[in-house]
Amino acid sequence: MSRPGERVEVALRDPAVAGELLQRAVEEIDDVAHAIMTTRDGLVIAANRDADGPPGTDTLAARGSAMAAAASGIGDHFTTLVRQGRLHASVFEGERGCVGVFPISATLLLVVAGGPAVTMGRFNAAAKRVLALLQAPDA
């Protein structure tokens, strides 16, 4: 018997399926510049076309995946330390936009980078739309 969400996680582990969904998210959702799916230990599963490059190159996806794994680990420890429960997101606001790391499952992370000058509120709304697309691609 499968658990709720298990079918989605299996589909997302297919790099072709995940890559298509991430590219769709970047094209359809305002305020999203890049989307990367990674394992919790920093291995790229898939990325939108502009973030991914030839295998073995130092791409945004490769570097972002490693940093996402670190950010997620620190976020998990920090929220546990201050008794705030499990980590739902690590979001960073820069002078030209935002980037966030979102746990999708026990083994997968989503990295979303906002477009230029996106505000924190608009970024959060856009990132939630990316998560919803990944969790229910046919909806």
Side-chain angles (χ1 to χ4, degrees):
M1 177 187 234
S2 65
R3 296 178 314 219
E6 186 175 9
R7 189 176 126 257
V8 171
E9 184 175 343
V10 170
L12 293 179
R13 286 188 174 276
D14 179 340
V17 171
E20 289 173 18
L21 290 171
L22 295 173
Q23 186 62 38
R24 182 175 150 198
V26 170
E27 291 171 356
E28 294 179 5
I29 300 171
D30 291 338
D31 299 322
V32 175
H34 297 290
I36 304 163
M37 185 172 306
T38 179
T39 63
R40 284 194 180 251
D41 55 355
L43 300 174
V44 177
I45 300 291
N48 70 290
R49 285 189 291 270
D50 291 340
D52 205 7
T57 61
D58 192 18
T59 64
L60 174 64
R63 293 174 68 195
S65 291
M67 288 188 277
S72 176
I74 291 168
D76 274 335
H77 290 297
F78 197 31
T79 56
T80 299
L81 174 71
V82 295
R83 295 183 178 95
Q84 297 298 323
R86 297 203 52 156
L87 179 72
H88 284 197
S90 293
V91 179
F92 305 92
E93 185 175 22
E95 62 187 46
R96 290 188 298 271
C98 303
V99 63
V101 180
F102 305 90
I104 298 174
S105 71
T107 59
L108 296 174
L109 299 172
L110 172 67
V111 180
V112 177
V118 66
T119 64
M120 184 68 84
R122 285 178 33 195
F123 175 76
N124 282 325
K128 286 180 182 181
R129 288 187 59 206
V130 176
L131 286 166
L133 174 67
L134 292 175
Q135 293 170 340
D138 299 326

